[in-house]
């Protein structure tokens, strides 16, 4: 199968190393501000930052080759640019409305009713047709797997 | 009817309109011969009826009846009776046009390069027409009772009636319209025409599948139809528009560009689904819908894993009521709310063999002696949590019996056990492998609870 072979040749090992490198670098940067308070809110915030760093490094590791990584990077950049609360609210509202409108369009066959949910899960999936969506999902799953693997290795290394 | 209209235009350009007399005569002659073949095959009659009934009232403008197209046809008498049969001359023309349309579409579809095939088809037709017509061109198909052109449906129908089996071999299947019959049956039909129509060299060369070179002479449609089967080689199995069409098409092949695109799209989707199936564990579903469910759950699970791992990186045993709340809202439906103030972070992602479990247990026990917080941190790092035994057993039995989806795996243990003061702690290891494969990686979820009496 062409596509499966294509998937294999995207060379996940190099993605893995790239992601590991980027993630560790971001973590180091994050650790520079160790939260002084261990309040739950600070902890939560830090968790959010770490997760964000993980996703960002993953997307950067993949680069712009994939639609979902492009969407994630775009989201990150937009977040950086429009950092105000109001703008975020507006953006969220717009995105929600756009997603609704798109989900209303009968773009998929009846068998793919769950495609809407998949669109929500995969970043950047709202604008894709079912064919590309499946493609992106496959790559996204692979990258998530490598992400989990690397993170777990890091955790094991540091906790042992 | 676009290809048909194109063809019509091409034909019209070639055809001169001439008197019908000769044609009529020959039509009647041919028709008589044809008639003899009609009786044995009721199927053929049915086909004819169906063809006639399927004809639109009159979509074709009535072109003036050109001279006998089969002027060259010696056995034109056949067609005369046929023309009598047809109530309206336009009907027969429509019939022919319909057939031709199908053969064009068939040829177009199969040839891979449909425009080229259609053009080639038209060219052939034109050549044949110009050659075969002595008196001057075939009448436009819309002219009714056209001998040569009408021959086609008749002969085809007869052929079909006669031997379908032979036709399969002969045609190589592609013919949407009724196939010309096997050699023996058709030969009789076309012998009459052969005399008048002398196949042009080209015509005979064109008869690849159709073993009667003469047939080609006798009309562009005939030849064209002959051409269509070899060229096209595929027609929609059971084309709905032609009710008596024999399914000679290759399965799953369509002549309609829309259905081709549709088929390609479906194939691509199926391909992608298969690729996804390999990635997602527990992918023994054959159903697309359930496969999609699995995929969705797996993506959710992986995202949850990332979240949990990033949380464990914090290394804080601090309570994560907001975290717990966040996690439980994330789509792990069966998550239990953890106690605020205790860290019980549940990530059932650790896949540990029994050795690791005992090692971990020892580690945790050791850590607990010194500091509860560090023990909790250690557990968190492993993605484990503490929970009362009763809860653990309940959960394990529940998960063992039910088909767990990945999303339900992360359990947030409520924790009344965190501190050494809690009396409800006990050592317990519960493994609940919810993934079918139970592969050694993250797909295996086990809930481990370690506690101290």
């Amino acid at each position: 199968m062409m596509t499966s072979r294509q998937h294999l040749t995207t060379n996940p090992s190099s993605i893995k190393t790239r992601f590991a490198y980027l993630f560790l670098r971001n973590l180091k940067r994050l650790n520079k501000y160790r939260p002084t308070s261990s309040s739950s809110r600070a902890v939560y915030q830090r968790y959010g930052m770490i997760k964000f760093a993980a996703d960002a490094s993953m997307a950067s590791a993949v680069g712009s080759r994939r639609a979902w990584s492009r969407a994630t990077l775009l989201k990150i950049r937009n977040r950086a640019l429009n950092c105000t609360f109001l703008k975020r609210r507006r953006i969220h509202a717009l995105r929600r409305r756009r997603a609704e409108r798109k989900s209303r369009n009968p773009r998929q066959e009846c068998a793919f009713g769950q495609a809407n949910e998949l669109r929500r899960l995969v970043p950047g999936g709202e604008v894709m047709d079912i064919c590309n969506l499946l493609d992106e999902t496959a790559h996204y799953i692979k990258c998530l797997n490598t992400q989990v693997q690397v993170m777990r290795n890091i955790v094991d290394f540091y906790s042992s | 009817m676009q290809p048909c209209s194109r063809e019509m235009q091409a034909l019209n350009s070639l055809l001169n309109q001439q008197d019908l007399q000769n044609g009529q005569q020959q039509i009647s002659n041919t028709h008589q011969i044809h008639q003899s073949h009609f009786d044995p095959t009721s199927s053929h009659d049915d086909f004819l009826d169906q063809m006639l009934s399927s004809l639109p009232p009159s979509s074709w403008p009535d072109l003036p009846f050109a001279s006998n197209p089969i002027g060259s046809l010696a056995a034109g008498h056949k067609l005369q009776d046929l023309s009598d049969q047809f109530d309206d001359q336009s009907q027969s023309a429509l019939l022919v046009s319909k057939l031709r349309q199908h053969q064009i579409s068939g040829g177009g579809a199969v040839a891979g390069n449909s425009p080229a095939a259609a053009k080639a088809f038209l060219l052939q037709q034109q050549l044949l027409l110009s050659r075969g017509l002595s008196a001057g061109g075939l009448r436009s198909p819309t002219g009714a009772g056209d001998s040569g052109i009408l021959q086609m449906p008749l002969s085809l129908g007869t052929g079909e009636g006669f031997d379908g089996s032979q036709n399969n071999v002969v045609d190589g299947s592609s013919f949407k319209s009724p196939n010309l019959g096997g050699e023996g049956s058709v030969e009789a039909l076309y012998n009459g025409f052969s005399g008048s129509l002398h196949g042009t060299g080209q015509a005979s060369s064109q008869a690849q599948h159709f073993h009667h070179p003469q047939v080609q002479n006798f009309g562009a449609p005939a030849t064209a139809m002959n051409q269509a089967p070899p060229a096209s080689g595929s027609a929609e199995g059971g084309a709905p528009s032609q009710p008596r069409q024999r399914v000679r098409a290759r399965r799953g092949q369509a002549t309609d560009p829309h259905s081709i695109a549709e088929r390609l799209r479906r194939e691509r989707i199926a391909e992608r689904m298969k690729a996804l199936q390999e990635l997602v564990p527990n992918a023994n579903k054959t159903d697309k819908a359930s496969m999609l469910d699995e995929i969705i759950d797996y993506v959710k699970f992986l995202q949850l894993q990332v979240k949990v791992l990033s949380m464990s990186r914090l290394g804080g045993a601090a309570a994560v009521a907001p975290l717990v709340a966040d996690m439980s809202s994330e789509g792990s439906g069966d998550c239990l709310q953890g106690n605020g103030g205790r860290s019980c972070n549940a990530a059932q992602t650790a896949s540990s063999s029994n050795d690791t479990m005992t090692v971990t247990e020892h580690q945790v026990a050791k850590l607990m002696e010194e500091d509860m917080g560090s023990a909790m941190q250690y557990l968190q790092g492993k993605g484990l949590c503490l929970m009362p035994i009763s809860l653990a057993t309940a959960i394990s039995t529940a998960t063992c019996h039910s088909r767990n989806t990945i999303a339900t795996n992360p359990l947030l243990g409520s924790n009344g056990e965190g501190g050494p003061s809690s009396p409800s702690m006990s050592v317990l290891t519960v493994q609940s492998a919810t993934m079918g494969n139970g592969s050694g990686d993250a797909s295996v979820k086990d809930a481990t609870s370690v506690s101290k009496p």
Side-chain angles (χ1 to χ4, degrees), chain A residues 1 3 43-44 47 50-51 109 112 114 117 121 130-131 138 140 145 152 155, chain B residues 265 271-272 276 279 289 292-293 298 300 303 305 307 311 314 323 381 442:
Chain A
M1 237 187 317
T3 46
V43 166
Y44 188 47
Y47 142 70
I50 288 182
K51 174 171 167 309
E109 319 173 350
F112 293 102
Q114 306 102 317
E117 187 151 9
L121 285 176
I130 189 69
C131 198
Y140 186 57
N145 266 327
R152 196 181 292 144
V155 166
Chain B
R265 178 171 166 271
E271 221 177 275
R272 306 259 161 87
L276 273 172
L279 280 178
L292 261 184
D293 283 333
Y298 189 58
K300 279 197 211 154
Q303 284 176 342
Q305 259 190 315
K307 273 206 184 112
M311 266 198 284
L314 300 182
L323 282 180

mmCIF file of all heavy atoms in Angstrom, chain A residues 1 3 43-44 47 50-51 109 112 114 117 121 130-131 138 140 145 152 155, chain B residues 265 271-272 276 279 289 292-293 298 300 303 305 307 311 314 323 381 442:
data_model
loop_
_atom_site.group_PDB
_atom_site.id
_atom_site.type_symbol
_atom_site.label_atom_id
_atom_site.label_comp_id
_atom_site.label_asym_id
_atom_site.label_seq_id
_atom_site.Cartn_x
_atom_site.Cartn_y
_atom_site.Cartn_z
ATOM 1 N N MET A 1 0.834 -1.193 0.000
ATOM 2 C CA MET A 1 0.000 0.000 0.000
ATOM 3 C C MET A 1 0.867 1.240 0.000
ATOM 4 O O MET A 1 1.785 1.365 0.768
ATOM 5 C CB MET A 1 -0.853 -0.017 1.257
ATOM 6 C CG MET A 1 -2.307 0.047 0.923
ATOM 7 S SD MET A 1 -3.268 0.225 2.393
ATOM 8 C CE MET A 1 -2.484 -0.923 3.466
ATOM 9 N N THR A 3 0.251 4.390 0.746
ATOM 10 C CA THR A 3 0.228 5.326 1.869
ATOM 11 C C THR A 3 0.911 4.725 3.075
ATOM 12 O O THR A 3 1.595 5.415 3.803
ATOM 13 C CB THR A 3 -1.216 5.678 2.226
ATOM 14 O OG1 THR A 3 -1.968 4.483 2.254
ATOM 15 C CG2 THR A 3 -1.766 6.627 1.185
ATOM 16 N N VAL A 43 1.080 24.875 40.215
ATOM 17 C CA VAL A 43 1.380 23.557 39.663
ATOM 18 C C VAL A 43 0.610 23.316 38.385
ATOM 19 O O VAL A 43 1.126 22.827 37.377
ATOM 20 C CB VAL A 43 1.052 22.459 40.694
ATOM 21 C CG1 VAL A 43 1.019 21.096 40.030
ATOM 22 C CG2 VAL A 43 2.047 22.475 41.822
ATOM 23 N N TYR A 44 -0.608 23.705 38.441
ATOM 24 C CA TYR A 44 -1.445 23.517 37.263
ATOM 25 C C TYR A 44 -0.922 24.316 36.078
ATOM 26 O O TYR A 44 -0.875 23.849 34.952
ATOM 27 C CB TYR A 44 -2.862 23.940 37.609
ATOM 28 C CG TYR A 44 -3.869 23.622 36.540
ATOM 29 C CD1 TYR A 44 -3.905 22.373 35.941
ATOM 30 C CD2 TYR A 44 -4.785 24.569 36.126
ATOM 31 C CE1 TYR A 44 -4.817 22.081 34.960
ATOM 32 C CE2 TYR A 44 -5.702 24.285 35.146
ATOM 33 C CZ TYR A 44 -5.714 23.037 34.564
ATOM 34 O OH TYR A 44 -6.624 22.755 33.594
ATOM 35 N N TYR A 47 2.064 22.664 34.764
ATOM 36 C CA TYR A 47 1.670 21.502 33.967
ATOM 37 C C TYR A 47 1.220 21.943 32.572
ATOM 38 O O TYR A 47 1.587 21.339 31.558
ATOM 39 C CB TYR A 47 0.575 20.726 34.675
ATOM 40 C CG TYR A 47 -0.470 20.176 33.744
ATOM 41 C CD1 TYR A 47 -0.178 19.141 32.868
ATOM 42 C CD2 TYR A 47 -1.761 20.685 33.733
ATOM 43 C CE1 TYR A 47 -1.133 18.641 32.005
ATOM 44 C CE2 TYR A 47 -2.721 20.182 32.877
ATOM 45 C CZ TYR A 47 -2.402 19.172 32.016
ATOM 46 O OH TYR A 47 -3.360 18.682 31.170
ATOM 47 N N ILE A 50 4.198 22.786 30.549
ATOM 48 C CA ILE A 50 4.965 21.619 30.108
ATOM 49 C C ILE A 50 4.248 20.919 28.964
ATOM 50 O O ILE A 50 4.849 20.539 27.953
ATOM 51 C CB ILE A 50 5.183 20.647 31.279
ATOM 52 C CG1 ILE A 50 6.179 21.241 32.259
ATOM 53 C CG2 ILE A 50 5.683 19.312 30.760
ATOM 54 C CD1 ILE A 50 6.488 20.340 33.397
ATOM 55 N N LYS A 51 2.974 20.766 29.128
ATOM 56 C CA LYS A 51 2.229 20.097 28.068
ATOM 57 C C LYS A 51 2.311 20.910 26.782
ATOM 58 O O LYS A 51 2.474 20.369 25.691
ATOM 59 C CB LYS A 51 0.774 19.931 28.497
ATOM 60 C CG LYS A 51 -0.096 19.368 27.400
ATOM 61 C CD LYS A 51 -1.461 19.027 27.921
ATOM 62 C CE LYS A 51 -2.432 18.767 26.793
ATOM 63 N NZ LYS A 51 -2.503 19.773 25.779
ATOM 64 N N GLU A 109 -19.373 10.828 4.268
ATOM 65 C CA GLU A 109 -20.401 9.832 4.054
ATOM 66 C C GLU A 109 -21.072 9.524 5.384
ATOM 67 O O GLU A 109 -20.589 9.885 6.429
ATOM 68 C CB GLU A 109 -19.786 8.545 3.520
ATOM 69 C CG GLU A 109 -18.720 8.774 2.511
ATOM 70 C CD GLU A 109 -18.040 7.481 2.150
ATOM 71 O OE1 GLU A 109 -18.276 6.474 2.817
ATOM 72 O OE2 GLU A 109 -17.272 7.494 1.193
ATOM 73 N N PHE A 112 -19.155 7.878 8.175
ATOM 74 C CA PHE A 112 -18.135 8.619 8.898
ATOM 75 C C PHE A 112 -18.767 9.691 9.745
ATOM 76 O O PHE A 112 -18.354 10.828 9.725
ATOM 77 C CB PHE A 112 -17.146 9.235 7.907
ATOM 78 C CG PHE A 112 -16.352 8.180 7.199
ATOM 79 C CD1 PHE A 112 -16.677 7.817 5.919
ATOM 80 C CD2 PHE A 112 -15.319 7.546 7.838
ATOM 81 C CE1 PHE A 112 -15.967 6.847 5.273
ATOM 82 C CE2 PHE A 112 -14.594 6.578 7.201
ATOM 83 C CZ PHE A 112 -14.910 6.226 5.912
ATOM 84 N N GLN A 114 -18.536 9.772 12.824
ATOM 85 C CA GLN A 114 -17.609 10.112 13.907
ATOM 86 C C GLN A 114 -16.483 10.990 13.406
ATOM 87 O O GLN A 114 -15.616 11.388 14.184
ATOM 88 C CB GLN A 114 -16.998 8.858 14.516
ATOM 89 C CG GLN A 114 -18.007 7.853 14.964
ATOM 90 C CD GLN A 114 -18.103 6.743 13.949
ATOM 91 O OE1 GLN A 114 -18.112 7.013 12.757
ATOM 92 N NE2 GLN A 114 -18.156 5.522 14.405
ATOM 93 N N GLU A 117 -15.890 14.075 15.363
ATOM 94 C CA GLU A 117 -15.129 14.000 16.601
ATOM 95 C C GLU A 117 -13.642 13.905 16.318
ATOM 96 O O GLU A 117 -12.819 14.514 17.001
ATOM 97 C CB GLU A 117 -15.587 12.765 17.373
ATOM 98 C CG GLU A 117 -14.970 12.696 18.736
ATOM 99 C CD GLU A 117 -15.869 11.980 19.697
ATOM 100 O OE1 GLU A 117 -16.876 11.415 19.218
ATOM 101 O OE2 GLU A 117 -15.571 11.992 20.884
ATOM 102 N N LEU A 121 -10.321 16.185 17.496
ATOM 103 C CA LEU A 121 -9.148 15.666 18.182
ATOM 104 C C LEU A 121 -7.864 16.040 17.460
ATOM 105 O O LEU A 121 -6.890 16.461 18.081
ATOM 106 C CB LEU A 121 -9.241 14.146 18.276
ATOM 107 C CG LEU A 121 -10.234 13.631 19.304
ATOM 108 C CD1 LEU A 121 -10.303 12.132 19.220
ATOM 109 C CD2 LEU A 121 -9.819 14.065 20.679
ATOM 110 N N ILE A 130 -12.474 13.860 4.488
ATOM 111 C CA ILE A 130 -12.296 12.628 5.253
ATOM 112 C C ILE A 130 -11.029 11.890 4.839
ATOM 113 O O ILE A 130 -10.338 11.280 5.656
ATOM 114 C CB ILE A 130 -13.542 11.735 5.091
ATOM 115 C CG1 ILE A 130 -13.471 10.565 6.053
ATOM 116 C CG2 ILE A 130 -13.678 11.248 3.677
ATOM 117 C CD1 ILE A 130 -13.624 10.954 7.480
ATOM 118 N N CYS A 131 -10.703 12.000 3.591
ATOM 119 C CA CYS A 131 -9.544 11.262 3.102
ATOM 120 C C CYS A 131 -8.272 11.794 3.739
ATOM 121 O O CYS A 131 -7.469 11.051 4.316
ATOM 122 C CB CYS A 131 -9.499 11.380 1.587
ATOM 123 S SG CYS A 131 -8.484 10.148 0.820
ATOM 124 N N ALA A 138 -3.419 9.231 10.963
ATOM 125 C CA ALA A 138 -2.406 8.189 11.062
ATOM 126 C C ALA A 138 -1.063 8.782 11.472
ATOM 127 O O ALA A 138 -0.396 8.282 12.385
ATOM 128 C CB ALA A 138 -2.291 7.463 9.725
ATOM 129 N N TYR A 140 -0.551 11.590 12.928
ATOM 130 C CA TYR A 140 -0.672 12.176 14.259
ATOM 131 C C TYR A 140 -0.536 11.105 15.326
ATOM 132 O O TYR A 140 0.107 11.313 16.358
ATOM 133 C CB TYR A 140 -2.022 12.885 14.354
ATOM 134 C CG TYR A 140 -2.227 13.649 15.624
ATOM 135 C CD1 TYR A 140 -1.343 14.650 16.000
ATOM 136 C CD2 TYR A 140 -3.318 13.405 16.435
ATOM 137 C CE1 TYR A 140 -1.535 15.367 17.157
ATOM 138 C CE2 TYR A 140 -3.526 14.121 17.591
ATOM 139 C CZ TYR A 140 -2.632 15.087 17.956
ATOM 140 O OH TYR A 140 -2.822 15.798 19.097
ATOM 141 N N ASN A 145 2.584 8.708 19.593
ATOM 142 C CA ASN A 145 3.255 7.549 20.176
ATOM 143 C C ASN A 145 4.705 7.845 20.510
ATOM 144 O O ASN A 145 5.188 7.521 21.600
ATOM 145 C CB ASN A 145 3.182 6.358 19.215
ATOM 146 C CG ASN A 145 2.014 5.462 19.519
ATOM 147 O OD1 ASN A 145 1.645 5.317 20.677
ATOM 148 N ND2 ASN A 145 1.425 4.896 18.494
ATOM 149 N N ARG A 152 8.054 9.385 28.452
ATOM 150 C CA ARG A 152 8.145 8.378 29.493
ATOM 151 C C ARG A 152 9.593 8.040 29.783
ATOM 152 O O ARG A 152 9.979 7.839 30.949
ATOM 153 C CB ARG A 152 7.396 7.121 29.081
ATOM 154 C CG ARG A 152 7.142 6.211 30.250
ATOM 155 C CD ARG A 152 6.439 4.964 29.834
ATOM 156 N NE ARG A 152 5.085 5.273 29.413
ATOM 157 C CZ ARG A 152 4.485 4.629 28.425
ATOM 158 N NH1 ARG A 152 5.111 3.684 27.768
ATOM 159 N NH2 ARG A 152 3.262 4.949 28.088
ATOM 160 N N VAL A 155 10.966 10.691 31.952
ATOM 161 C CA VAL A 155 10.478 10.575 33.323
ATOM 162 C C VAL A 155 11.200 9.442 34.046
ATOM 163 O O VAL A 155 11.635 9.596 35.182
ATOM 164 C CB VAL A 155 8.960 10.335 33.303
ATOM 165 C CG1 VAL A 155 8.492 9.880 34.660
ATOM 166 C CG2 VAL A 155 8.238 11.587 32.901
ATOM 167 N N ARG B 265 -12.287 7.442 -4.720
ATOM 168 C CA ARG B 265 -12.331 8.049 -3.391
ATOM 169 C C ARG B 265 -12.513 6.970 -2.331
ATOM 170 O O ARG B 265 -11.837 6.956 -1.307
ATOM 171 C CB ARG B 265 -13.471 9.048 -3.354
ATOM 172 C CG ARG B 265 -13.647 9.722 -2.012
ATOM 173 C CD ARG B 265 -14.652 10.843 -2.158
ATOM 174 N NE ARG B 265 -15.086 11.278 -0.865
ATOM 175 C CZ ARG B 265 -16.114 10.762 -0.224
ATOM 176 N NH1 ARG B 265 -16.799 9.801 -0.786
ATOM 177 N NH2 ARG B 265 -16.445 11.188 0.965
ATOM 178 N N GLU B 271 -7.929 2.476 1.913
ATOM 179 C CA GLU B 271 -6.480 2.338 2.092
ATOM 180 C C GLU B 271 -6.030 2.997 3.382
ATOM 181 O O GLU B 271 -5.275 2.427 4.170
ATOM 182 C CB GLU B 271 -5.816 3.031 0.911
ATOM 183 C CG GLU B 271 -4.640 2.354 0.321
ATOM 184 C CD GLU B 271 -4.171 3.150 -0.878
ATOM 185 O OE1 GLU B 271 -4.733 2.932 -1.954
ATOM 186 O OE2 GLU B 271 -3.280 3.982 -0.692
ATOM 187 N N ARG B 272 -6.513 4.215 3.575
ATOM 188 C CA ARG B 272 -6.099 4.938 4.762
ATOM 189 C C ARG B 272 -6.589 4.238 6.017
ATOM 190 O O ARG B 272 -5.896 4.197 7.039
ATOM 191 C CB ARG B 272 -6.653 6.360 4.732
ATOM 192 C CG ARG B 272 -6.278 7.068 3.453
ATOM 193 C CD ARG B 272 -5.128 7.994 3.642
ATOM 194 N NE ARG B 272 -4.494 8.312 2.385
ATOM 195 C CZ ARG B 272 -4.865 9.292 1.601
ATOM 196 N NH1 ARG B 272 -5.867 10.063 1.948
ATOM 197 N NH2 ARG B 272 -4.230 9.513 0.483
ATOM 198 N N LEU B 276 -4.424 2.941 9.182
ATOM 199 C CA LEU B 276 -4.732 3.293 10.564
ATOM 200 C C LEU B 276 -4.919 2.058 11.414
ATOM 201 O O LEU B 276 -4.540 2.031 12.590
ATOM 202 C CB LEU B 276 -6.007 4.146 10.610
ATOM 203 C CG LEU B 276 -5.774 5.639 10.424
ATOM 204 C CD1 LEU B 276 -7.085 6.358 10.286
ATOM 205 C CD2 LEU B 276 -5.009 6.180 11.602
ATOM 206 N N LEU B 279 -1.864 0.904 12.903
ATOM 207 C CA LEU B 279 -1.305 1.732 13.963
ATOM 208 C C LEU B 279 -2.026 1.525 15.279
ATOM 209 O O LEU B 279 -1.413 1.480 16.348
ATOM 210 C CB LEU B 279 -1.410 3.208 13.572
ATOM 211 C CG LEU B 279 -0.352 3.713 12.608
ATOM 212 C CD1 LEU B 279 -0.638 5.160 12.287
ATOM 213 C CD2 LEU B 279 1.015 3.590 13.235
ATOM 214 N N ALA B 289 -17.208 1.779 11.086
ATOM 215 C CA ALA B 289 -17.650 2.662 12.160
ATOM 216 C C ALA B 289 -16.951 2.318 13.468
ATOM 217 O O ALA B 289 -16.457 3.194 14.175
ATOM 218 C CB ALA B 289 -19.166 2.563 12.317
ATOM 219 N N LEU B 292 -13.435 3.405 13.383
ATOM 220 C CA LEU B 292 -13.292 4.832 13.659
ATOM 221 C C LEU B 292 -13.414 5.116 15.139
ATOM 222 O O LEU B 292 -12.692 5.957 15.680
ATOM 223 C CB LEU B 292 -14.376 5.608 12.903
ATOM 224 C CG LEU B 292 -13.924 6.243 11.593
ATOM 225 C CD1 LEU B 292 -15.043 7.043 11.013
ATOM 226 C CD2 LEU B 292 -12.725 7.136 11.820
ATOM 227 N N ASP B 293 -14.323 4.402 15.799
ATOM 228 C CA ASP B 293 -14.440 4.585 17.239
ATOM 229 C C ASP B 293 -13.143 4.250 17.930
ATOM 230 O O ASP B 293 -12.685 4.983 18.821
ATOM 231 C CB ASP B 293 -15.571 3.691 17.788
ATOM 232 C CG ASP B 293 -16.929 4.278 17.488
ATOM 233 O OD1 ASP B 293 -17.002 5.520 17.363
ATOM 234 O OD2 ASP B 293 -17.902 3.508 17.388
ATOM 235 N N TYR B 298 -8.323 5.874 20.718
ATOM 236 C CA TYR B 298 -6.878 5.761 20.857
ATOM 237 C C TYR B 298 -6.225 7.134 20.817
ATOM 238 O O TYR B 298 -5.287 7.397 21.582
ATOM 239 C CB TYR B 298 -6.334 4.880 19.733
ATOM 240 C CG TYR B 298 -4.900 4.518 19.900
ATOM 241 C CD1 TYR B 298 -4.469 3.854 21.042
ATOM 242 C CD2 TYR B 298 -3.961 4.837 18.942
ATOM 243 C CE1 TYR B 298 -3.145 3.524 21.211
ATOM 244 C CE2 TYR B 298 -2.639 4.496 19.096
ATOM 245 C CZ TYR B 298 -2.243 3.840 20.233
ATOM 246 O OH TYR B 298 -0.932 3.515 20.394
ATOM 247 N N LYS B 300 -7.582 9.879 21.759
ATOM 248 C CA LYS B 300 -7.871 10.502 23.063
ATOM 249 C C LYS B 300 -6.936 9.964 24.128
ATOM 250 O O LYS B 300 -6.426 10.716 24.967
ATOM 251 C CB LYS B 300 -9.317 10.206 23.455
ATOM 252 C CG LYS B 300 -10.327 11.098 22.815
ATOM 253 C CD LYS B 300 -11.642 11.001 23.569
ATOM 254 C CE LYS B 300 -12.767 11.216 22.576
ATOM 255 N NZ LYS B 300 -13.998 10.581 22.980
ATOM 256 N N GLN B 303 -3.458 11.386 23.783
ATOM 257 C CA GLN B 303 -3.376 12.777 24.238
ATOM 258 C C GLN B 303 -3.420 12.839 25.758
ATOM 259 O O GLN B 303 -2.724 13.646 26.385
ATOM 260 C CB GLN B 303 -4.532 13.577 23.647
ATOM 261 C CG GLN B 303 -4.313 13.913 22.198
ATOM 262 C CD GLN B 303 -5.501 14.629 21.604
ATOM 263 O OE1 GLN B 303 -6.595 14.589 22.139
ATOM 264 N NE2 GLN B 303 -5.273 15.282 20.482
ATOM 265 N N GLN B 305 -2.364 10.542 27.734
ATOM 266 C CA GLN B 305 -1.062 10.084 28.208
ATOM 267 C C GLN B 305 -0.057 11.218 28.219
ATOM 268 O O GLN B 305 0.720 11.373 29.176
ATOM 269 C CB GLN B 305 -0.552 8.973 27.290
ATOM 270 C CG GLN B 305 -0.727 7.605 27.843
ATOM 271 C CD GLN B 305 0.014 6.600 27.007
ATOM 272 O OE1 GLN B 305 -0.066 6.659 25.787
ATOM 273 N NE2 GLN B 305 0.703 5.708 27.639
ATOM 274 N N LYS B 307 -0.668 14.285 28.472
ATOM 275 C CA LYS B 307 -1.027 15.198 29.564
ATOM 276 C C LYS B 307 -0.511 14.680 30.893
ATOM 277 O O LYS B 307 0.087 15.397 31.681
ATOM 278 C CB LYS B 307 -2.543 15.313 29.639
ATOM 279 C CG LYS B 307 -3.114 16.343 28.780
ATOM 280 C CD LYS B 307 -4.436 16.832 29.333
ATOM 281 C CE LYS B 307 -5.002 17.807 28.335
ATOM 282 N NZ LYS B 307 -6.185 17.314 27.688
ATOM 283 N N MET B 311 2.272 16.052 33.447
ATOM 284 C CA MET B 311 1.965 16.381 34.836
ATOM 285 C C MET B 311 2.971 15.734 35.757
ATOM 286 O O MET B 311 3.410 16.319 36.742
ATOM 287 C CB MET B 311 0.561 15.880 35.176
ATOM 288 C CG MET B 311 -0.481 16.938 34.997
ATOM 289 S SD MET B 311 -1.949 16.496 35.861
ATOM 290 C CE MET B 311 -2.578 15.269 34.762
ATOM 291 N N LEU B 314 6.068 17.318 36.734
ATOM 292 C CA LEU B 314 6.110 18.369 37.734
ATOM 293 C C LEU B 314 6.728 17.858 39.019
ATOM 294 O O LEU B 314 7.300 18.608 39.791
ATOM 295 C CB LEU B 314 4.698 18.865 38.016
ATOM 296 C CG LEU B 314 4.006 19.429 36.779
ATOM 297 C CD1 LEU B 314 2.654 19.940 37.142
ATOM 298 C CD2 LEU B 314 4.855 20.520 36.189
ATOM 299 N N LEU B 323 -6.308 19.600 38.537
ATOM 300 C CA LEU B 323 -5.823 18.672 37.528
ATOM 301 C C LEU B 323 -6.767 17.500 37.400
ATOM 302 O O LEU B 323 -7.079 17.044 36.308
ATOM 303 C CB LEU B 323 -4.440 18.155 37.918
ATOM 304 C CG LEU B 323 -3.306 19.141 37.656
ATOM 305 C CD1 LEU B 323 -2.000 18.530 38.084
ATOM 306 C CD2 LEU B 323 -3.268 19.490 36.197
ATOM 307 N N GLY B 381 5.618 9.639 38.998
ATOM 308 C CA GLY B 381 6.525 9.528 37.870
ATOM 309 C C GLY B 381 6.297 8.257 37.095
ATOM 310 O O GLY B 381 6.455 8.190 35.881
ATOM 311 N N ALA B 442 2.573 1.054 25.904
ATOM 312 C CA ALA B 442 1.529 1.829 26.561
ATOM 313 C C ALA B 442 0.150 1.253 26.370
ATOM 314 O O ALA B 442 -0.763 1.599 27.078
ATOM 315 C CB ALA B 442 1.548 3.252 26.024
#
